[in-house]
Amino acid sequence: RLENLASRVSNYIEADSLSLMNSFNEELFLKTNNLNSESIFAIFLPNTYEFYWNTNADQFRNKMLDQYNLYWNSSRKEKAKSLNLSPVEVSVLASIVQRETPKVDERPTISGVYYNRLKKSMKLQADPTVVYTIKEKKGFDKKIRRVLYRDLKIKSPYNTYINKGLPPGPIYMSDFSSIESVLNLENNDYLFFVADVKRPGYHMFAKTYRQHNKNKR
């Protein structure tokens, strides 16, 4: 979350977490850059950056925006446009994909599944978004070991089991491999996937609900 980022960054520069949060949520800054208090999390890309210790909140924020704009060059913007997604939407989807699988080589396939669901106006029904809503409700320091059926009904704009489309912002800080997996997603016909018990960390994919149920069994 943005609060976690502000707290972490305040350990390394002069700006404290409150001034960082105020800077991140400055109305003029958000409006000028077509962002809001949820989507701004997308501009922070995990990398190694150098700052003077006396960097203030606005300087930190502005440098992060500069780095974000450098990353989103014309080529990447064109790829996003071809998917009918904005750069922020790419980051939101990438954050879900990243929390769905730790396997970098599988991320383009899962990106393809979620993209297929978006195109068909299906609900994403992504468990990581439910985990996020549980943490919203019970505290972000809580470890969630299992998602229960009752959790799927938690009311939140981040819960993709009850809302169509993408959440209003990233549920995690997307790394470059996750973003690239969306921009270069696998062109497949899959609509479903379930954890593969024979290959820990990987998934079994299906084009039909019937095949998906078979995989689940």
Side-chain angles (χ1 to χ4, degrees):
R1 292 183 311 152
L2 208 57
E3 292 87 344
N4 301 129
L5 174 66
S7 176
R8 189 76 170 269
V9 170
S10 68
N11 293 325
Y12 297 95
I13 61 174
E14 190 174 48
D16 59 28
S17 57
L18 180 59
S19 61
L20 284 163
M21 285 299 295
N22 288 336
S23 179
F24 298 161
N25 288 307
E26 183 191 3
E27 192 173 338
L28 180 60
F29 172 80
L30 294 176
K31 187 175 181 180
T32 301
N33 293 287
N34 197 29
L35 297 167
N36 57 45
S37 57
E38 285 87 18
S39 63
I40 185 180
F41 197 33
I43 76 167
F44 300 101
L45 301 174
N47 207 344
T48 301
Y49 304 99
E50 290 187 355
F51 289 94
Y52 290 108
W53 73 268
N54 60 346
T55 298
N56 65 38
D58 287 353
Q59 289 170 332
F60 174 80
R61 177 199 68 190
N62 294 342
K63 182 169 180 176
M64 290 296 93
L65 179 65
D66 289 343
Q67 294 297 312
Y68 172 80
N69 288 331
L70 279 174
Y71 177 76
W72 280 101
N73 56 28
S74 58
S75 174
R76 290 192 177 96
K77 284 180 179 177
E78 279 301 313
K79 284 184 178 181
K81 188 177 180 181
S82 71
L83 299 171
N84 202 27
L85 297 173
S86 69
V88 167
E89 288 172 328
V90 169
S91 292
V92 173
L93 182 53
S95 71
I96 297 173
V97 172
Q98 181 164 327
R99 297 305 286 168
E100 195 70 71
T101 178
K103 305 297 184 182
V104 173
D105 59 323
E106 192 184 57
R107 287 176 181 171
T109 307
I110 288 183
S111 293
V113 177
Y114 282 138
Y115 184 64
N116 291 340
R117 284 182 158 250
L118 285 173
K119 284 196 298 182
K120 289 179 177 289
S121 294
M122 295 173 64
K123 292 175 182 174
L124 292 184
Q125 295 186 326
D127 285 358
T129 66
V130 179
V131 171
Y132 187 90
T133 62
I134 297 170
K135 287 175 175 280
E136 271 188 315
K137 188 177 180 181
K138 298 185 177 180
F140 280 88
D141 58 342
K142 185 176 178 61
K143 287 188 181 295
I144 310 300
R145 302 190 183 280
R146 181 177 293 180
V147 173
L148 306 175
Y149 283 110
R150 66 170 182 248
D151 298 326
L152 307 184
K153 300 175 183 178
I154 297 174
K155 290 185 178 180
S156 166
Y158 285 88
N159 186 347
T160 58
Y161 272 84
I162 61 175
N163 302 297
K164 281 187 178 181
L166 293 165
I171 60 167
Y172 199 73
M173 185 181 283
S174 313
D175 65 23
F176 293 115
S177 71
S178 299
I179 296 172
E180 293 297 329
S181 79
V182 175
L183 291 176
N184 302 284
L185 56 80
E186 181 181 286
N187 185 15
N188 58 52
D189 296 321
Y190 298 133
L191 289 172
F192 309 97
F193 59 90
V194 65
D196 188 344
V197 293
K198 294 180 180 178
R199 297 192 306 153
Y202 285 95
H203 296 80
M204 299 171 71
F205 297 88
K207 298 177 183 180
T208 66
Y209 195 61
R210 183 179 179 181
Q211 179 64 46
H212 178 56
N213 282 332
K214 185 179 178 182
N215 290 342
K216 282 166 70 176
R217 286 195 296 271

